[in-house]
Amino acid sequence: MPIQHTKPFGVYHWDTFDNETFLIDEFDTLEQAEKYVTEHYKGRINNNGADQVDIVDSKGNIVKKYSVG
């Protein structure tokens, strides 16, 4: 996935139905990104979710991933 964020961490949503990945938001710290994901996707994070939300660092590495329904 090409990096689209300019801050140290970007949150990306992969829509598996449309097979599209898009930048949701970007953050200065991993903690801020994790807090955003858990609050924004509250009640939708689960092991069987069809879509995926990734926190990506400035080098393009996925540092945390979530399945969301």
Side-chain angles (χ1 to χ4, degrees):
M1 142 182 33
I3 298 172
Q4 299 173 347
H5 62 280
T6 56
K7 291 187 176 182
F9 296 94
V11 174
Y12 292 83
H13 185 116
W14 174 33
D15 182 336
T16 57
F17 182 75
D18 293 329
N19 196 26
E20 290 186 59
T21 302
F22 48 94
L23 177 65
I24 299 292
D25 210 338
E26 48 190 306
F27 301 90
D28 292 317
T29 68
L30 178 58
E31 293 78 19
Q32 290 172 329
E34 290 173 327
K35 182 178 179 182
Y36 174 83
V37 171
T38 57
E39 289 177 359
H40 186 75
Y41 290 95
K42 187 176 185 173
R44 296 180 55 200
I45 299 172
N46 60 59
N47 292 332
N48 300 322
D51 289 357
Q52 183 171 307
V53 173
D54 298 330
I55 298 175
V56 179
D57 68 13
S58 59
K59 295 179 183 177
N61 301 310
I62 297 173
V63 293
K64 194 130 187 196
K65 60 175 57 182
Y66 304 84
S67 291
V68 295

